[in-house]
DNA sequence: CCGAATCCAGGCGGATACTG
DNA sequence: CAGTATCCGCCTGGATTCGG
């Protein structure tokens, strides 16, 4: 989805640069990883502490939690606030930018839920082919 | 984004099964790969032949073209029609299901384009931190 | 023309152990 | 509590070669 809509009308080949620097492709390559969508979903309602997130998601390793949070913070989608209390607490929350992303992301999620049965049916049909 | 919206209100930990079988997460894990968005974008307007696709995208290897097309076909998003002409021609086109996915996908693309500058700014800010 | 099969490197992601 | 550091398996994805 590099050129969003006009891409379909291209006559010249899509270059590597086109593909790489397309905002849409770049976005999906960042938030399309294994844990970003889940963390964005959790943070969509309220803020979380680090260990709270760690305990909230089964199967998510500490390492990947940190990496994913850093990636989202780097893109300005979440904020990281260190409270110098005792014990120390680091709070993660969605930024305005991150909040604005929720709408198109939820739209995609709704599509997936709506068409889940069709997807499963298509896969079953494909598997049944000789 | 496993539970789409209600996820934010969870009190119990998100289990591995929850995450794995969430339709939205499953969708992103499929169409969020390196070439699917681009191919869906190209096919959004008209159908393509195999070699035509191969030549249209610089940097896309034959192997990954086939694999990505199979993946999309398997999920019922595109159709594959073999024309027994001479020389033979295989035509790839979006299905109705694939077409219905365009809307939320384009919405995501529009968001990316709209907020591209903010994303770049956030990244520059992050890089400049001590 | 449209693939399938093989080989191989790079990066994602998990387990574990260690710091301020 | 909130990370960092190290090791390592696995899978994605590119290059190349072969077949129908």
């Amino acid at each position: 989805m590099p050129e969003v809509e006009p891409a379909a009308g291209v006559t010249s080949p899509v270059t590597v640069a086109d593909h790489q620097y397309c905002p849409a492709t770049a976005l999906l390559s960042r938030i399309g990883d294994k844990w970003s969508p889940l963390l964005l979903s959790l943070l969509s309602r309220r803020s979380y502490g680090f260990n709270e997130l760690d305990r909230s998601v089964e199967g998510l390793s500490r390492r990947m939690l940190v990496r994913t949070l850093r990636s989202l913070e780097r893109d300005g989608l979440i904020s990281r606030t260190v409270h110098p209390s005792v014990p120390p607490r680091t709070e993660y929350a969605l930024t305005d930018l991150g909040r604005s992303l929720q709408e198109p992301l939820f739209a995609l999620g709704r599509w997936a839920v709506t068409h889940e049965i069709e997807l499963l049916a298509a896969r079953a049909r494909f598997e049944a082919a000789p």
Side-chain angles (χ1 to χ4, degrees), chain A:
Chain A
M1 186 189 19
E3 288 76 17
V4 188
E5 304 210 23
V10 294
T11 60
S12 59
V14 178
T15 68
V16 174
D18 284 343
H19 189 215
Q20 202 67 20
Y21 295 127
C22 164
T25 295
L27 175 66
L28 272 182
S29 74
R30 291 170 184 284
I31 66 161
D33 64 13
K34 191 170 181 178
W35 300 108
S36 287
L38 177 57
L39 292 179
L40 286 175
S41 173
L42 286 174
L43 293 171
S44 66
R45 265 287 186 80
R46 64 180 183 89
S47 60
Y48 275 77
F50 181 83
N51 267 356
E52 194 183 8
L53 279 178
D54 197 21
R55 288 189 311 269
S56 295
V57 186
E58 180 190 342
L60 170 55
S61 66
R62 241 178 175 65
R63 168 187 156 90
M64 287 315 297
L65 176 57
V66 175
R67 286 174 74 98
T68 307
L69 287 173
R70 285 288 177 281
S71 169
L72 295 174
E73 184 195 0
R74 176 183 150 97
D75 288 337
L77 297 176
I78 67 173
S79 65
R80 172 176 173 273
T81 312
V82 179
H83 299 281
S85 54
V86 182
R89 172 188 166 86
T90 306
E91 189 176 2
Y92 290 93
L94 237 55
T95 61
D96 287 341
L97 186 62
R99 242 183 305 280
S100 74
L101 177 59
Q102 297 288 326
E103 190 185 342
L105 221 48
F106 283 162
L108 206 64
R110 279 191 299 272
W111 184 95
V113 173
T114 303
H115 297 90
E116 187 185 5
I117 298 181
E118 298 175 64
L119 286 169
L120 291 174
R123 221 167 307 159
R125 216 176 307 126
F126 186 87
E127 238 63 57

